[in-house]
Amino acid sequence: MGTLGRVLTPALAARYGSLIVTDLADIPGDLPPGVRYERADLRDAAAMARLAQGMDAIVHFGGINVEKSFETILDGNIVGTHSVFETARAAGARVIYASSNHTIGFYWRGEHLTMASPNRPDGFYGLSKIYCEMLGRLYFDKHGVESVHLRIGSCLPRPTDARHLATWLSYPDLIRLVESAIEAPAPGFAMVWGISANSDAWWHGDDAGRIGYRPVDNAESHRGEIPEMTKDEGIAAHYQGSRFVALDYSRKER
Ligand code: 15L
């Protein structure tokens, strides 16, 4: 289970009473009360259908969360998320999907965006997130499967890089965001920036109000720590997607 899964699992178990978590690998350590662990592959349709029976929501934070080869991303993110949507369709469940800011990583830093801004992925990882957002669009329009897509910025205990003054999502706000997405009365297909109430945010104009997400934390309160924070260099420093932009970058500047 990834770091964000470890943050969410006890909070969601405490709020909803019971939860099934799945992973390809065994999960070391004890799980909180109410949590049942099942070793399962997202791409195994039969296993997923069995586990999803009677579920109201599937919180999908699985797959690959960094840039990798096209083949790895295709299998882990696109095939895996297609299976999640098929499972949700059969079970009548809602999907909460962990998308990413790497869907728009090729915008300049400081440029203010809304959900209507055209996508500018900074790699195969960001591109897979766009595909899966559009899976959500398709499954709602065609099958009525509801989904809330969280374009997560930088979810960490505290900002550690100057860029995080714009992109930070605190752990308590992550929990608020996922709970809002689960509990929103009728989200249909919704897109929300996964950030805290950062004064320096670049991202606006989403469905946060519609799902009732009200972030509390603000990276601004960590501004005094900037001298100790890391700062991107070279091409990464110019773009919102940071180091993901710089990976395998070979464009000749004119
Ligand atoms: C992401 O999507 C990654 O999963 C995470 O590792 C961070 O790099 C984050 O974006 C970010 O952009 O800070």
Side-chain angles (χ1 to χ4, degrees):
M1 195 194 305
T3 311
L4 302 191
R6 290 211 167 268
V7 171
L8 286 170
T9 298
L12 299 184
R15 189 163 178 99
Y16 302 113
S18 74
L19 202 66
I20 299 177
V21 294
T22 70
D23 205 318
L24 276 173
D26 282 333
I27 299 178
D30 290 336
L31 287 168
V35 179
R36 186 174 119 211
Y37 161 71
E38 291 274 349
R39 188 174 182 142
D41 187 331
L42 288 181
R43 296 160 299 183
D44 180 346
M48 291 294 288
R50 178 176 54 80
L51 293 171
Q53 262 175 21
M55 291 286 155
D56 297 319
I58 302 175
V59 179
H60 178 31
F61 274 61
I64 315 285
N65 68 351
V66 288
E67 183 65 344
K68 294 278 180 197
S69 73
F70 173 69
E71 292 72 19
T72 307
I73 295 284
L74 178 66
D75 197 37
N77 286 8
I78 294 183
V79 176
T81 306
H82 171 258
S83 168
V84 167
F85 273 94
E86 272 301 308
T87 304
R89 178 184 170 189
R94 174 180 302 181
V95 177
I96 316 303
Y97 178 63
S99 186
S100 166
N101 73 90
H102 295 288
T103 48
I104 47 81
F106 258 113
Y107 280 97
W108 292 108
R109 290 202 186 186
E111 199 165 340
H112 285 246
L113 308 180
T114 70
M115 283 301 178
S117 304
N119 292 316
R120 294 188 75 173
D122 57 27
F124 297 124
Y125 165 69
L127 198 49
S128 76
K129 295 290 176 179
I130 294 167
Y131 185 91
C132 296
E133 290 172 355
M134 288 300 98
L135 268 177
R137 180 79 264 178
L138 174 69
Y139 272 66
F140 181 63
D141 288 343
K142 200 166 232 186
H143 308 299
V145 175
E146 293 192 311
S147 57
V148 182
H149 300 259
L150 318 175
R151 280 194 171 175
I152 297 174
S154 308
C155 191
L156 298 161
R158 61 176 46 77
T160 56
D161 185 289
R163 167 178 171 267
H164 298 162
L165 290 180
T167 65
W168 188 49
L169 174 65
S170 73
Y171 287 170
D173 281 339
L174 169 71
I175 294 165
R176 286 183 193 101
L177 177 57
V178 172
E179 289 177 351
S180 302
I182 292 172
E183 294 170 27
F189 167 81
M191 299 274 300
V192 183
W193 298 109
I195 49 174
S196 287
N198 304 328
S199 304
D200 270 6
W202 303 320
W203 307 324
H204 321 271
D206 63 1
D207 295 316
R210 201 153 65 75
I211 68 159
Y213 170 54
R214 283 176 208 85
V216 169
D217 296 313
N218 186 338
E220 194 59 27
S221 58
H222 295 271
R223 188 174 282 279
E225 299 158 28
I226 285 187
E228 295 100 65
M229 289 185 197
T230 57
K231 283 173 202 66
D232 285 317
E233 290 175 0
I235 195 82
H238 298 300
Y239 293 104
Q240 300 195 3
S242 174
R243 274 157 257 188
F244 284 57
V245 168
L247 294 168
D248 198 28
Y249 185 89
S250 66
R251 178 172 168 174
K252 306 280 177 285
E253 298 305 324
R254 282 168 288 173

